[in-house]
Amino acid sequence: MPLHNFNSGPSILPQEVLTQAAAAIHNFNNTGLSILEIGHRTTHFVEVVTEAQQIVKRLMGLDDAYEVLFLQGGATMQFMQVPMNLLDENGLAAICDNGVWGNKAVKEASLFGPVKVVSDTADKKHTYLNKQLTIPENATYLHITTNNTVEGTQWHQYPQTHALLIGDMSSDIFSRPTAFNQFDVIYAGAQKNMGAAGVTLVVIKKEILGKINRQIPAILNYQKHIEAGSLLNTPPVFSIYVSLLTLRWIEAQGGLAAMEKQNLAKSNLLYNTIDALPAFYCPIAKEDRSIMNAVFFLTDPTLEAPFLALCKSEGMIGVKGYRTVGGIRVSMYNAMPYSSVEAFCDLMKSFAEKN
Ligand SMILES: *Cc1c(COP(=O)(O)O)cnc(C)c1O
């Protein structure tokens, strides 16, 4: 039985990326050594980092005002590393709390300076985005989660602000052409749309650094990582290599415009199917629906368990909603083929007919 991998993260990767990564474990670039055995300061690996940085900038259309880093600690570490590097008692972090991840960004930032939650959508269980934000005059930065992985909302136009703009793009990075240059910091754990777990992409506009008075440990200091060319200490060599393979794959497919076309085709098919079947409903405001993670429910909650059991028996992996949200979550990252979403929609239709 073919499996359809709808996991929310770590998640599906392109088949050819897996094949190339597997080959490099045995013999990396004809060196006779495994990618797991080479030194991170060898020319071979420095070329991997450099090419990955170049592709990131090309895909984002960013110039040399920005630096591309590959760090550890996950997107979760960025919840504290961003304020540690940018926020002090004289500043203010304005943060949108639109779900699980934005909420963590709030908690961590408050360890480093004043925080104002400028949008809290808990009143409607985060099923919409509040786009009318009032950003305080003295805000240092505005932090948004561009795609709320758990709740299924996505910013389709970013807020305008006089403050710096920080984006947690963990679950929609490289899913569409977007105004990357509106941001001063972009970060994303690799394991959803650009590779394997273990590395976090951080893109920073260099001029924003060095403005606060705080001693920052070197390993957490963006400036030190920039000066070291993302090789301050041993980086996650293999994870960075898998990211490079995925980035090459994105470019070979036609770049972000091609990704968006596919992602819209998949998400339109799924949302149209949900909206057409009375057995299912999606509570997310239509204009804010995510093209990456669709969150929806069975109209009759007693049918949720049988539907999930059917999914399991039909090889549909990872479609159970997040533990605090419940329902169904279907993640449709870049590497997910249209045919998998089609198979899932067919299953929904036949379930709806029989129940
Ligand atoms: C998955 C996710 C995170 C957490 O990423 P880790 O790499 O596990 O720390 C943070 N933000 C968003 C939007 C996510 O989807």
Side-chain angles (χ1 to χ4, degrees):
M1 176 178 62
L3 297 180
H4 302 281
N5 181 359
F6 295 101
N7 278 330
S8 57
S11 41
I12 186 169
L13 284 169
Q15 201 56 48
E16 58 194 87
V17 167
L18 299 181
T19 306
Q20 291 164 357
I25 285 187
H26 295 289
N27 184 0
F28 171 63
N29 275 4
N30 290 320
T31 53
L33 295 175
S34 166
I35 180 77
L36 305 178
E37 300 175 314
I38 61 164
H40 59 290
R41 299 194 192 279
T42 57
T43 326
H44 293 294
F45 187 68
V46 172
E47 280 173 0
V48 167
V49 173
T50 308
E51 186 186 344
Q53 289 169 325
Q54 284 166 347
I55 300 180
V56 167
K57 276 199 184 172
R58 220 160 36 228
L59 289 172
M60 291 187 169
L62 297 178
D63 61 21
D64 290 339
Y66 290 85
E67 202 71 43
V68 176
L69 300 175
F70 296 101
L71 305 181
Q72 302 193 58
T76 301
M77 197 166 89
Q78 296 309 307
F79 296 152
M80 60 78 72
Q81 198 171 358
V82 166
M84 182 181 244
N85 281 262
L86 300 177
L87 181 66
D88 64 14
E89 288 306 321
N90 303 317
L92 177 76
I95 304 184
C96 291
D97 179 353
N98 300 132
V100 166
W101 299 118
N103 190 261
K104 294 195 190 215
V106 170
K107 289 200 175 115
E108 297 294 282
S110 58
L111 299 174
F112 297 93
V115 170
K116 180 159 175 51
V117 176
V118 291
S119 164
D120 179 349
T121 44
D123 59 338
K124 292 185 190 162
K125 295 187 177 169
H126 304 299
T127 52
Y128 72 109
L129 293 175
N130 165 21
K131 284 157 275 184
Q132 303 304 314
L133 305 177
T134 308
I135 320 281
E137 200 61 42
N138 62 335
T140 313
Y141 64 76
L142 170 66
H143 180 287
I144 64 169
T145 312
T146 55
N147 183 69
N148 290 288
T149 327
V150 168
E151 295 80 8
T153 60
Q154 184 177 27
W155 287 86
H156 296 296
Q157 260 194 321
Y158 305 123
Q160 296 292 334
T161 172
H162 62 280
L164 303 177
L165 185 61
I166 317 292
D168 175 358
M169 294 199 185
S170 293
S171 52
D172 66 351
I173 190 90
F174 303 133
S175 64
R176 56 183 179 178
T178 195
F180 294 104
N181 63 1
Q182 232 179 293
F183 290 85
D184 297 280
V185 179
I186 291 165
Y187 62 87
Q191 69 274 17
K192 281 152 190 153
N193 230 0
M194 65 166 278
V199 67
T200 308
L201 172 70
V202 180
V203 179
I204 305 177
K205 198 172 203 176
K206 283 180 274 190
E207 65 177 31
I208 69 168
L209 298 174
K211 310 264 173 172
I212 58 160
N213 265 326
R214 173 179 292 119
Q215 297 292 320
I216 303 172
I219 192 68
L220 293 170
N221 190 328
Y222 291 136
Q223 189 63 47
K224 298 278 184 216
H225 283 282
I226 290 173
E227 285 162 15
S230 221
L231 295 169
L232 184 69
N233 66 327
T234 313
V237 170
F238 185 63
S239 300
I240 293 175
Y241 184 63
V242 177
S243 287
L244 171 62
L245 296 175
T246 311
L247 290 162
R248 281 182 185 158
W249 176 84
I250 293 171
E251 280 204 317
Q253 299 296 302
L256 302 189
M259 292 297 117
E260 180 178 49
K261 192 165 167 231
Q262 268 283 94
N263 291 330
L264 284 174
K266 291 179 283 181
S267 55
N268 283 337
L269 174 65
L270 180 58
Y271 285 120
N272 288 340
T273 306
I274 297 166
D275 291 342
L277 295 172
F280 297 90
Y281 77 97
C282 173
I284 310 298
K286 279 201 170 135
E287 61 184 38
D288 300 325
R289 288 178 178 181
S290 166
I291 64 169
M292 294 276 96
N293 313 93
V295 171
F296 58 101
F297 296 85
L298 276 296
T299 310
D300 174 357
T302 64
L303 291 179
E304 186 177 306
F307 180 67
L308 286 170
L310 176 68
C311 289
K312 194 169 179 196
S313 71
E314 294 295 315
M316 308 283 172
I317 314 283
V319 298
K320 191 171 166 39
Y322 190 80
R323 58 187 186 277
T324 55
V325 176
I328 315 293
R329 171 173 53 170
V330 170
S331 299
M332 301 165 279
Y333 297 118
N334 285 346
M336 163 76 46
Y338 183 84
S339 57
S340 286
V341 179
E342 231 170 9
F344 185 81
C345 289
D346 288 345
L347 195 65
M348 286 172 73
K349 282 182 220 156
S350 76
F351 182 83
E353 271 164 28
K354 290 183 198 129
N355 290 277

